[in-house]
Amino acid sequence: HFARAKNPCGVAAYHLPRCFASQQNLFVSAQSFVFKYRNILSHSLPAIKSPAEIKKNSARHFLALSKFIFVVEIKNQNAMKGKTLKHEILHNISTVYNLAEKSKLDDTLFEVTKQELSFLAAYFHTTTSQALFIAIIFTLNYKGKKVDLNDLNTHFDCNPMKLLEYSDDFVELYEKRLLRKFKTSNRYRQIKLKSADEEFFINELISAKILSSQPIPEVLNDTMRYEDIYTFLEKLYQLGVQREKEEISTKELFEQAELMIEENQHLALVKAVKSLGTIEDRFLFLVVVWKFLYGDKNPWVDKTFEAIYDKPNLRFTQIQKFLLRQHNLITENWLEIEDAVFFDDAKMTLTEKALDLLAECDIKLFNKSLEKKNNVILPESIPFRKLIYSDHEAKQLSLLKNLLLEENLKVTQERLLSKALPEGITALLYGAPGTGKTESVLQIAKATNREIMKVDISASRSMWFGESEKIIKKVFKDYKSYASKCKTTPILFFNEADALISRRKEVNGSNIIETENRIQNILLEEIENFDGILLATTNLANNLDSAFERRFLFKVEFCKPNILAKSQIWKSKLPHLSDKDCEILASQFDFTGGQIDNIVRKNEINAIIYGNSGDMKQLMAFCREEMLTNSYAVSSIGFQKN
């Protein structure tokens, strides 16, 4: 029948002369074949309602096929002779997977696959039912997806309640670490039931053992020995990620972390932290070290403990101990806490003692392969812009730029040092807003191929007594440490530093004024001993504290551009304008370069939205819109008609 139908079920069949197979082998093959393809065969064979009828009908119908050719799926045991363990395992998994499809997960499935499941159960050290689920999940995983209960129900075509009868098997497979799981968020699931939102996948070590024809040990230990500390710390951190996703419990987390630490005692840091009390302390410390190396120097306290502890009561107990500074890592001076108003704002960081330990273990605190600092601007990321200066500005900035060329800077600093003069290069760029101070710093950095470490002035203020002073000191400490790892000295950039370098005030009992004065005193002291490159900008030079004037070697004033300079700026921004139009715009509107940029941007937006580049009339309208008052307008020349 199937030969005439040209094998409509699409199964890879063997064509075997009848005289080459015994009746016993044919019967077994026929029984399996009917079981698997009973839905298709139901159109041509009598209805099969029970295992007994399967056995009876399979023998009768398949022995009645053509005497010349049998088209059956045969379990050829002899074909497996000489094959590797890998081939035998994969063959058995494949057979179980195929026969389990649409099987309803009934007892007949276990009868038909008894030989294969017994082999797999012995290999995995499990029961036959557990071996069945391993085979199905393993195969579905290699189809490129994790597996949930719905996937298994679909494959078996069974009632979900039937699958839940085997829930103990899944628990045991997790405990044996043969299976992994994690919770997934399904927005279409309207109710939450235990295990309903879990997905399963085979432990990757199992796949590796199978594909390399290696046996599975009775006690599975997938802890690996790592050659470098960075890989070890990353893998240890991933345990916390698994815990946070609820793939493993806190108990499993600490068990696996303990095994990893024991297995990697050849790494200096791992060996050193073995004396840090409990496994909980060791794991927390190593996680904070990894975050530090990855760029997160101040991880949140609550987020860190949330990733470790699965039970809220344990989590809050540990957080409370940490906030009260009763935690072992704080009392032993390995970690310190940064105070906050609310507990969920508190952060932790490594102490100097911890940093010294990392240095002793030859761990680089600035690893180029890790993420760049958020406040660092790379010279190659700065787009080139042509700036128009007055002669006086151009002369001073040219001297500063040429000085910062690497070959000139080295010679200059060596000579200054030989004459007992400060070797640090400091410059203050001051003037009206929009005159190009900040952009000049960027273009100097690009021209001299220097990185910029930009200081966020607003972040230097803290509501906590004494914290602002610490922040200012930390800015210079971080710069010095970062500069020591760079090929060329980077630029420390204080943009809009008005609040830091303005005149100091009389205290008169004000705590705020007292704090501001202390910050300025610290800044003056740091600049006095500074040996790098510091550039600062300010709009309020008239309010500059006299003590800072001496600290800045270069003081470059940026004036509003004159008519000639403004005309050149207009021409550089809008080349299609005639020289006469540029002169008209320059003479009628007293704009800075920043304001001209605003008008050019509006013109570009107008071209995109309406499909035309603005003419002179449109530009004049944009210029008038730019003026909030008449303060930017130049007085008209000549007589005005009343």
Side-chain angles (χ1 to χ4, degrees):
H1 175 84
F2 271 81
R4 290 196 301 272
K6 296 184 179 178
N7 197 9
C9 58
V11 26
Y14 293 93
H15 293 253
L16 185 68
R18 184 174 185 179
C19 58
F20 290 168
S22 68
Q23 182 173 342
Q24 178 64 29
N25 283 340
L26 266 179
F27 173 76
V28 173
S29 299
Q31 184 181 22
S32 301
F33 192 83
V34 171
F35 179 80
K36 181 176 178 182
Y37 300 109
R38 58 190 175 195
N39 291 334
I40 298 173
L41 292 172
S42 63
H43 298 292
S44 58
L45 297 179
I48 299 173
K49 300 180 180 179
S50 67
E53 290 181 83
I54 290 177
K55 188 173 183 179
K56 178 180 178 182
N57 284 283
S58 60
R60 184 175 73 250
H61 285 279
F62 273 88
L63 290 176
L65 292 174
S66 169
K67 64 179 179 179
F68 299 107
I69 295 177
F70 290 95
V71 184
V72 292
E73 186 177 282
I74 297 177
K75 298 178 181 179
N76 191 348
Q77 299 296 330
N78 293 329
M80 293 306 299
K81 288 183 179 179
K83 296 292 184 180
T84 63
L85 178 61
K86 176 184 79 172
H87 289 92
E88 194 167 358
I89 296 167
L90 295 178
H91 172 78
N92 284 287
I93 288 176
S94 176
T95 302
V96 170
Y97 176 82
N98 289 333
L99 295 178
E101 189 175 4
K102 308 298 181 185
S103 66
K104 307 294 184 183
L105 198 55
D106 56 23
D107 295 340
T108 308
L109 172 63
F110 291 96
E111 294 177 11
V112 174
T113 58
K114 181 178 180 180
Q115 183 176 346
E116 289 83 2
L117 288 179
S118 297
F119 175 86
L120 293 175
Y123 177 73
F124 292 118
H125 308 289
T126 63
T127 64
T128 54
S129 58
Q130 292 169 0
L132 169 66
F133 295 122
I134 290 176
I136 305 305
I137 295 172
F138 180 89
T139 308
L140 290 175
N141 284 165
Y142 269 94
K143 285 189 172 185
K145 64 177 182 179
K146 295 183 176 69
V147 181
D148 60 17
L149 290 178
N150 185 56
D151 294 320
L152 294 176
N153 286 329
T154 301
H155 186 77
F156 290 118
D157 191 23
C158 66
N159 188 311
M161 299 303 103
K162 183 69 175 178
L163 198 57
L164 289 179
E165 293 176 10
Y166 297 91
S167 60
D168 291 344
D169 285 327
F170 284 91
V171 172
E172 202 169 326
L173 289 173
Y174 302 144
E175 291 175 350
K176 292 180 177 180
R177 297 163 70 182
L178 296 170
L179 277 189
R180 299 291 196 194
K181 65 175 178 177
F182 73 94
K183 289 187 180 294
T184 181
S185 176
N186 189 338
R187 60 188 177 131
Y188 300 109
R189 199 185 300 279
Q190 298 181 2
I191 57 174
K192 296 293 183 182
L193 296 175
K194 182 176 175 59
S195 303
D197 57 350
E198 292 177 348
E199 289 184 333
F200 324 111
F201 57 99
I202 295 293
N203 187 329
E204 60 183 17
L205 182 62
I206 300 299
S207 299
K209 293 286 187 183
I210 292 174
L211 297 179
S212 59
S213 292
Q214 295 180 9
I216 302 292
E218 288 191 37
V219 179
L220 186 62
N221 179 10
D222 53 1
T223 303
M224 295 183 65
R225 183 183 176 91
Y226 301 104
E227 296 303 319
D228 64 272
I229 187 63
Y230 302 105
T231 304
F232 169 83
L233 290 173
E234 183 179 14
K235 296 297 183 182
L236 191 77
Y237 174 75
Q238 288 301 323
L239 287 179
V241 175
Q242 286 181 283
R243 217 304 305 151
E244 194 171 16
K245 292 180 179 179
E246 299 187 22
E247 296 176 20
I248 58 176
S249 65
T250 298
K251 180 175 178 292
E252 291 173 304
L253 167 69
F254 289 139
E255 287 177 352
Q256 294 184 41
E258 188 74 86
L259 290 172
M260 284 184 65
I261 291 173
E262 288 296 330
E263 188 67 25
N264 289 275
Q265 286 295 299
H266 62 289
L267 300 174
L269 179 62
V270 179
K271 186 175 182 180
V273 301
K274 196 171 182 182
S275 61
L276 293 187
T278 65
I279 179 59
E280 290 92 335
D281 296 338
R282 293 194 288 273
F283 179 79
L284 174 61
F285 179 76
L286 291 172
V287 165
V288 176
V289 168
W290 169 249
K291 289 186 175 184
F292 180 91
L293 294 175
Y294 200 70
D296 184 5
K297 294 187 177 181
N298 307 100
W300 302 98
V301 171
D302 65 319
K303 296 293 183 185
T304 303
F305 282 103
E306 186 178 353
I308 298 175
Y309 293 96
D310 49 12
K311 295 181 180 179
N313 61 325
L314 288 176
R315 186 188 316 145
F316 291 132
T317 299
Q318 293 298 321
I319 291 176
Q320 191 71 10
K321 284 177 62 178
F322 206 87
L323 295 178
L324 294 174
R325 291 177 169 80
Q326 297 173 353
H327 195 279
N328 291 339
L329 294 178
I330 293 182
T331 58
E332 296 294 328
N333 196 29
W334 292 108
L335 295 180
E336 60 185 354
I337 186 172
E338 297 182 357
D339 290 323
V341 179
F342 303 103
F343 84 90
D344 56 352
D345 289 332
K347 293 184 176 182
M348 64 177 75
T349 189
L350 297 174
T351 62
E352 289 296 325
K353 179 181 177 182
L355 295 178
D356 290 341
L357 176 63
L358 299 187
E360 291 172 10
C361 296
D362 198 27
I363 295 177
K364 297 178 181 179
L365 301 185
F366 287 91
N367 192 329
K368 289 293 184 181
S369 65
L370 299 179
E371 188 176 293
K372 277 282 183 186
K373 293 169 65 68
N374 291 331
N375 61 334
V376 169
I377 303 173
L378 302 178
E380 58 268 22
S381 68
I382 301 171
F384 173 77
R385 295 186 68 181
K386 182 180 179 181
L387 301 178
I388 308 297
Y389 299 112
S390 67
D391 292 342
H392 181 67
E393 293 165 354
K395 183 178 179 180
Q396 286 186 291
L397 292 172
S398 177
L399 174 60
L400 178 59
K401 183 180 72 173
N402 289 326
L403 169 61
L404 295 184
L405 293 173
E406 187 63 18
E407 58 273 18
N408 295 335
L409 181 64
K410 285 184 177 179
V411 174
T412 301
Q413 288 186 319
E414 288 174 2
R415 180 175 295 187
L416 292 173
L417 198 58
S418 68
K419 296 187 177 183
L421 293 171
E423 58 180 312
I425 306 300
T426 56
L428 178 67
L429 282 57
Y430 66 95
T435 51
K437 301 182 294 297
T438 301
E439 189 60 41
S440 295
V441 173
L442 296 176
Q443 294 305 315
I444 288 173
K446 184 175 183 67
T448 58
N449 196 34
R450 296 187 185 278
E451 297 179 14
I452 295 176
M453 187 173 176
K454 188 176 180 181
V455 178
D456 182 1
I457 301 298
S458 63
S460 67
R461 301 302 181 93
S462 172
M463 65 177 289
W464 297 102
F465 182 80
E467 284 301 310
S468 295
E469 296 92 313
K470 290 181 182 179
I471 292 171
I472 290 297
K473 286 186 175 181
K474 191 173 185 301
V475 165
F476 286 90
K477 180 181 177 182
D478 287 348
Y479 170 80
K480 187 174 182 179
S481 180
Y482 186 72
S484 67
K485 308 299 178 181
C486 295
K487 292 182 179 179
T488 58
T489 305
I491 296 171
L492 180 60
F493 181 31
F494 284 86
N495 193 30
E496 298 183 1
D498 312 72
L500 290 178
I501 61 177
S502 58
R503 286 193 184 98
R504 283 168 288 181
K505 305 169 186 176
E506 293 185 10
V507 176
N508 293 327
S510 171
N511 290 333
I512 296 176
I513 294 176
E514 184 181 356
T515 298
E516 289 180 349
N517 287 347
R518 278 201 310 271
I519 291 173
Q520 288 183 314
N521 289 335
I522 292 171
L523 187 59
L524 285 168
E525 182 182 351
E526 292 289 348
I527 296 177
E528 182 73 22
N529 302 314
F530 189 70
D531 59 1
I533 303 170
L534 186 150
L535 302 182
T537 65
T538 179
N539 299 328
L540 305 173
N542 293 333
N543 197 35
L544 180 68
D545 192 293
S546 58
F548 282 102
E549 290 185 23
R550 181 175 62 83
R551 262 68 173 192
F552 287 106
L553 180 61
F554 293 88
K555 292 172 276 289
V556 184
E557 183 180 7
F558 283 70
C559 301
K560 284 187 177 182
N562 57 27
I563 291 178
L564 177 60
K566 285 186 288 184
S567 179
Q568 291 174 341
I569 294 173
W570 280 111
K571 188 66 176 177
S572 67
K573 302 290 184 182
L574 299 171
H576 68 278
L577 291 179
S578 66
D579 293 343
K580 182 178 180 181
D581 288 340
C582 291
E583 291 175 6
I584 292 173
L585 292 171
S587 61
Q588 291 197 18
F589 300 97
D590 190 17
F591 288 154
T592 62
Q595 290 171 306
I596 293 174
D597 273 347
N598 283 345
I599 295 163
V600 172
R601 289 167 64 193
K602 282 184 179 179
N603 186 59
E604 293 298 325
I605 292 171
N606 185 72
I608 293 171
I609 301 300
Y610 298 111
N612 58 74
S613 182
D615 54 15
M616 190 61 177
K617 182 179 178 181
Q618 183 66 66
L619 288 173
M620 294 286 283
F622 287 151
C623 288
R624 285 189 290 271
E625 291 171 4
E626 182 66 19
M627 298 186 300
L628 296 177
T629 66
N630 289 327
S631 60
Y632 297 114
V634 178
S635 299
S636 300
I637 299 175
F639 298 97
Q640 290 185 347
K641 186 177 179 179
N642 293 329

